[in-house]
Amino acid sequence: MAVMKLYGSPLSSAVWRVLASLYEKGLDFEFIPVDMKSGEHKKEPYLSLNPFGQVPAFVDGDLKLFESRAITQYISHEYADKGTPLVVPGKPMAIVSVWMEVEAHQYDPLAGKLAWELGYKPHFGMQPDHAVVEENEGKLGKVLDVYEARLSQSKYIGGDTFTLADLHHLPTLSFLMDTPAKKLIESRPKVSAWVADITSRPAWCKVVEFRKQH
Amino acid sequence: MAPKLRLHGIPMSSCAARSMICLYEKGVEFELVLVDFFIAAEHKQPPFLSKNPFGQIPVLEDGNLTLFESRAINEYVSNKFKDQGTDLIRHNSLEESALVKVWTEVESHQFHPAISPIYNQHLLAPLYGKSSDQAIIDEHLEKLRMVLDVYEDRLGKTKYLAGDFYSLADLHHMPMMFSFMKTPWGHVVNERPKVKAWWEDISSRDAFKKVAVGMTIGDK
């Protein structure tokens, strides 16, 4: 049986999202680097794996997938009996699903912009746009106020156990914790405790180690 | 007899429409509970906030289960009622269901961020007495063109986005597509024959037509 293949760059937060799910489940896989500096992701043959020319892409046997959150969901369902359960049975999954959509539509557009301005841009020698930073910090603060209330009622964001709803946040959360935007998290005790908890998970520590080694 | 599902929203809301189309496709009986959106801003206050702390519509109530985010509502409805109506999630096939996930994520992360600022600027801003920003529209039209080029290529290989079957992946596009075709830039779709044919096909579905009647934003 061919080993699963994950295509991408060690710098990509979307790749980290998939790595986190593979490590949580203890699955064997092969990481195939894509040379984004030379534009490999925008040409064939990579485009036949991800027609949007983005990373990651994922191959499991005959199945070719892209979009990190589709890949993590596939992994979580197909390998449900391995490692950490990242999805849950029955009605509680509907609530996990709600908070997965919250991550995608309320949180990520704002956190992603901040990660770009405060994390990626300095890495590439560019100046952050302070107006964009201020605007998005304000909006993200309001979203995190909702998270603060949610985490007062629920141990993890999707329910009582760690699930994909928490995992999907990890890449941008850990990015933001290395920037001045970390004040948004540190000033909210429940959010802060939740971030400390999920970023100390062994599987996430493996992702951090992977980034360092590549 | 189980109580009817209750969907809180208004007919002209594109997000509420996304869930109503799904409920009709599945043949699930529901009650549309109208929210006093424009005058009282009911959705931005208690008690509505206890249903959706982000103060948005729609909200679905199924007995004591309260859900928000239209795409999560649709995932729930498609799973719970998987044995009736249209099969929107292809639960009997590992490969098909994985591809439905891929293309629902594409709608969320590629299509929606490109098209919704155009909707907000051209169709919503006037409703709130604001002027629209053409620079934002132009920037996002360019992004939308690039996304639809990928769709044009994809729809040359499969009849619908996830495969040769209609699914949630197609459905989730419908409210924004419908509104977009009322703007001056519908030619962006019509210039791409496969995308145009796909839109004409899916917008002829009965479930969509029922909901489209109420989607009056952008009508003259």
Side-chain angles (χ1 to χ4, degrees):
Chain A
M1 167 90 174
V3 135
M4 290 181 271
K5 295 183 166 65
L6 176 65
Y7 293 78
S9 156
L11 287 182
S12 155
S13 57
V15 169
W16 306 338
R17 189 174 286 116
V18 177
L19 280 173
S21 67
L22 289 164
Y23 288 139
E24 284 286 351
K25 299 245 142 236
L27 297 170
D28 284 333
F29 66 96
E30 188 186 344
F31 180 74
I32 300 177
V34 173
D35 185 1
M36 294 178 79
K37 268 210 195 106
S38 75
E40 185 187 341
H41 55 310
K42 300 288 181 193
K43 305 177 214 172
E44 293 293 0
Y46 185 79
L47 285 178
S48 66
L49 293 175
N50 184 334
F52 291 92
Q54 294 174 347
V55 293
F58 182 79
V59 175
D60 188 6
D62 289 333
L63 198 52
K64 291 180 187 153
L65 306 176
F66 58 94
E67 289 296 328
S68 62
R69 296 167 185 83
I71 298 168
T72 56
Q73 286 181 73
Y74 165 75
I75 286 167
S76 303
H77 283 103
E78 177 58 3
Y79 300 98
D81 56 341
K82 298 223 168 6
T84 313
L86 294 174
V87 291
V88 297
K91 271 191 181 175
M93 189 59 204
I95 305 291
V96 172
S97 190
V98 163
W99 289 91
M100 283 166 65
E101 289 299 320
V102 166
E103 184 276 330
H105 291 283
Q106 310 289 349
Y107 165 85
D108 190 67
L110 307 172
K113 280 205 182 86
L114 283 173
W116 172 250
E117 292 295 330
L118 298 172
Y120 282 104
K121 264 181 155 176
H123 179 89
F124 292 119
M126 295 157 75
Q127 284 301 312
D129 181 334
H130 291 289
V132 172
V133 170
E134 211 179 303
E135 185 192 344
N136 284 283
E137 281 184 346
K139 289 178 180 174
L140 184 57
K142 296 201 169 110
V143 169
L144 292 178
D145 286 340
V146 176
Y147 280 38
E148 186 70 9
R150 169 66 180 164
L151 291 163
S152 309
Q153 304 158 350
S154 178
K155 182 155 196 243
Y156 290 95
I157 204 76
D160 295 329
T161 59
F162 178 83
T163 62
L164 278 190
D166 308 280
L167 185 152
H168 283 174
H169 289 83
L170 277 165
T172 43
L173 273 182
S174 93
F175 220 97
L176 291 179
M177 291 306 284
D178 282 337
T179 72
K182 69 180 177 182
K183 62 182 191 275
L184 295 172
I185 289 158
E186 288 172 341
S187 57
R188 292 167 173 86
K190 297 275 192 258
V191 173
S192 187
W194 169 68
V195 172
D197 179 320
I198 63 176
T199 53
S200 64
R201 292 179 68 86
W204 184 250
C205 295
K206 270 190 165 171
V207 177
V208 173
E209 199 47 45
F210 177 92
R211 281 151 60 174
K212 285 193 189 140
Q213 282 171 13
H214 288 76
Chain B
M1 167 139 159
K4 255 195 216 179
L5 269 58
R6 290 154 59 87
L7 188 77
H8 297 257
I10 56 174
M12 62 172 75
S13 154
S14 57
C15 299
R18 190 176 288 115
S19 288
M20 286 193 279
I21 299 167
C22 178
L23 287 160
Y24 284 128
E25 283 284 353
K26 300 304 292 170
V28 173
E29 279 206 52
F30 70 98
E31 183 193 345
L32 179 65
V33 180
L34 293 177
V35 169
D36 188 344
F37 194 87
F38 290 107
I39 299 190
E42 183 189 337
H43 53 306
K44 297 289 180 196
Q45 304 163 47
F48 190 90
L49 287 177
S50 65
K51 299 186 207 290
N52 183 348
F54 293 95
Q56 294 173 339
I57 55 173
V59 162
L60 182 80
E61 287 176 319
D62 182 9
N64 59 9
L65 186 65
T66 301
L67 305 176
F68 56 94
E69 292 294 331
S70 62
R71 296 169 185 82
I73 289 170
N74 290 3
E75 181 71 21
Y76 170 73
V77 168
S78 301
N79 267 291
K80 178 170 177 174
F81 299 98
K82 58 181 188 282
D83 295 321
Q84 70 179 67
T86 312
D87 179 6
L88 295 173
I89 54 172
R90 317 299 296 183
H91 57 280
N92 286 322
S93 162
L94 176 71
E95 176 162 357
E96 290 179 359
S97 58
L99 290 172
V100 172
K101 290 275 185 218
V102 166
W103 289 91
T104 53
E105 290 298 315
V106 166
E107 185 276 329
S108 281
H109 294 282
Q110 311 289 347
F111 176 82
H112 188 78
I115 205 168
S116 73
I118 301 169
Y119 173 81
N120 293 341
Q121 289 298 321
H122 185 73
L123 293 173
L124 279 193
L127 282 185
Y128 291 101
K130 296 184 187 158
S131 56
S132 70
D133 186 334
Q134 191 61 41
I136 293 180
I137 293 175
D138 290 338
E139 178 195 343
H140 289 89
L141 279 172
E142 200 37 53
K143 291 181 180 177
L144 182 63
R145 285 189 181 94
M146 287 166 59
V147 170
L148 292 181
D149 283 342
V150 176
Y151 283 27
E152 183 69 9
D153 188 69
R154 172 66 178 171
L155 293 163
K157 299 172 184 153
T158 53
K159 187 165 188 226
Y160 299 96
L161 286 173
D164 291 326
F165 47 82
Y166 177 79
S167 73
L168 267 195
D170 309 283
L171 191 158
H172 283 177
H173 289 77
M174 298 180 85
M176 281 286 144
M177 280 292 295
F178 181 65
S179 299
F180 181 75
M181 296 310 283
K182 296 183 195 179
T183 72
W185 306 289
H187 60 87
V188 169
V189 168
N190 293 331
E191 283 160 4
R192 291 161 172 80
K194 301 273 190 304
V195 177
K196 180 177 186 230
W198 165 75
W199 171 242
E200 283 168 359
D201 178 319
I202 63 178
S203 56
S204 67
R205 295 180 71 89
D206 287 340
F208 172 71
K209 290 201 278 200
K210 276 190 183 152
V211 175
V213 166
M215 293 181 68
T216 50
I217 293 179
D219 288 351
K220 303 223 179 356

